[in-house]
């Protein structure tokens, strides 16, 4: 009888000890809660959906390219391949482009000139914020102070000066050119930038944005650097 009581007592103590251990672990390592408000979550969700849409669009383009290769004859396949190379060169920013677009001049504010405030190079954070804001519009091509900006470009600080693709950006004033797929898209970008809060960010750095009306024929130069082929080798015909 005493053995049965001792066994039951032991089981009860084990259960109590287990519950105390679980409660202590919960208090010591509470579950991390997401304290963001609903708008922050909605914004992150919108960005994820935007990325998902872009990936689907790229997959669709690649599928169309493959389908076009499969449907073409051997004689036409070369032309299709050249067309694909031209598209990739444009996307990489190695070719000059002409099309509808806008010119934006970044210059010192009137107050900074009147008070003699020294104007330094535009900060990399501000320039990056501007580029991210403009990239809401798809299919655009951009040139910053004569330097072609693409998805492979970088904005960095080198020796205290902001640079694009390793080349220093001039101390304001300098120009930013943006070409859109259509004139309608250029007008949308123009109206968006006129009302954008990015002007406040520039003004805090004693800079202003002069946004010119869209034009039909605007040219931006290609990236002068040539790509080096490190891994691919051309095979002779028949191999």
């Amino acid at each position: 009888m005493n053995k049965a009581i001792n066994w039951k007592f032991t089981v009860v103590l084990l259960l109590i000890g287990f519950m105390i251990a679980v409660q202590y672990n919960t208090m010591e390592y509470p579950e991390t809660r997401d304290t963001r408000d609903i708008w922050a979550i909605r914004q992150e969700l919108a960005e994820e959906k935007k990325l998902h849409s872009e990936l689907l669009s790229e997959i669709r383009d690649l599928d169309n390219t493959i389908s076009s290769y499969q449907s073409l004859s051997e004689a036409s396949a070369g032309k299709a391949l050249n067309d694909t190379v031209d598209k990739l060169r444009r996307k990489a920013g190695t070719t000059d482009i002409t099309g509808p677009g806008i010119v934006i001049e970044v210059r010192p504010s009137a107050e900074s000139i009147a008070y003699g405030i020294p104007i330094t190079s535009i900060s990399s954070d501000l320039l990056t914020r501007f580029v991210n804001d403009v990239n809401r519009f798809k299919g655009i091509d951009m040139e910053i102070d004569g330097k072609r900006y693409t998805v492979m470009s970088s904005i960095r600080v080198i020796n205290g000066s902001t640079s694009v693709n390793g080349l220093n950006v001039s101390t304001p004033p300098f120009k930013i050119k943006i070409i859109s797929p259509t004139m309608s898209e250029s007008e949308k970008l123009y109206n968006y930038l006129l009302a954008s809060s990015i002007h406040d960010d520039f003004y805090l750095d004693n800079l202003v944005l002069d946004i010119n009306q869209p034009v039909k024929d605007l040219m931006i130069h290609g990236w002068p650097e040539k790509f080096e082929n490190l891994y691919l080798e051309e095979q002779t015909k028949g191999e």
Side-chain angles (χ1 to χ4, degrees), residues 6-238:
N6 290 336
W7 181 80
K8 293 179 181 180
F9 185 68
T10 301
V11 172
V12 171
L13 288 179
L14 287 174
L15 291 174
I16 294 175
F18 177 75
M19 293 174 65
I20 293 175
V22 172
Q23 184 177 8
Y24 173 79
N25 187 67
T26 303
M27 295 177 63
E28 186 72 14
Y29 305 102
E31 182 180 357
T32 303
R33 299 182 59 186
D34 194 340
T35 58
R36 296 174 298 173
D37 59 25
I38 186 65
W39 290 109
I41 297 176
R42 285 170 63 91
Q43 182 177 3
E44 183 174 349
L45 178 60
E47 292 175 354
E48 291 296 330
K49 291 181 67 176
K50 179 180 178 183
L51 177 60
H52 182 257
S53 177
E54 292 174 358
L55 291 175
L56 288 178
S57 178
E58 291 182 5
I59 292 174
R60 192 180 303 111
D61 290 341
L62 292 174
D63 287 340
N64 292 336
T65 300
I66 294 173
S67 298
S68 65
Y69 287 161
Q70 293 175 343
S71 61
L72 291 174
S73 62
E74 183 177 352
S76 303
K79 181 179 183 304
L81 182 59
N82 288 331
D83 292 341
T84 302
V85 172
D86 291 339
K87 291 180 181 179
L88 292 175
R89 284 176 175 168
R90 171 164 181 163
K91 190 173 182 180
T94 61
T95 58
D96 295 345
I97 296 177
T98 301
I102 59 176
V103 178
I104 303 165
E105 184 175 5
V106 181
R107 61 176 179 81
S109 64
E111 290 81 3
S112 64
I113 296 175
Y115 289 105
I117 300 175
I119 301 299
T120 58
S121 175
I122 185 173
S123 71
S124 60
D125 290 339
L126 181 57
L127 187 56
T128 300
R129 196 176 305 128
F130 173 82
V131 170
N132 291 338
D133 201 28
V134 169
N135 276 334
R136 296 170 182 265
F137 294 80
K138 298 305 174 184
I140 63 173
D141 295 285
M142 191 184 315
E143 180 185 279
I144 302 174
D145 188 32
K147 303 159 185 64
R148 185 67 175 273
Y149 185 89
T150 68
V151 293
M152 298 181 294
S153 298
S154 60
I155 298 176
R156 298 175 182 170
V157 176
I158 300 178
N159 296 327
S161 299
T162 299
S163 66
V164 174
N165 300 328
L167 302 175
N168 289 346
V169 177
S170 303
T171 301
F174 63 85
K175 294 180 179 180
I176 299 175
K177 298 179 180 180
I178 304 174
I179 290 180
S180 300
T182 63
M183 190 64 178
S184 175
E185 291 294 325
S186 290
E187 292 173 352
K188 290 179 181 178
L189 177 59
Y190 170 77
N191 292 326
Y192 172 79
L193 288 176
L194 285 181
S196 175
S197 61
I198 195 70
H199 291 273
D200 298 332
D201 298 327
F202 274 80
Y203 193 74
L204 289 175
D205 281 6
N206 299 313
L207 299 173
V208 294
L209 294 175
D210 279 343
I211 305 171
N212 297 310
Q213 289 274 356
V215 295
K216 292 183 178 180
D217 295 314
L218 179 66
M219 188 185 79
I220 60 177
H221 298 284
W223 198 6
E225 299 268 341
K226 299 299 181 183
F227 293 102
E228 295 183 1
N229 183 12
L230 301 178
Y231 305 103
L232 299 178
E233 295 181 0
E234 183 177 358
Q235 297 291 329
T236 58
K237 187 175 181 180

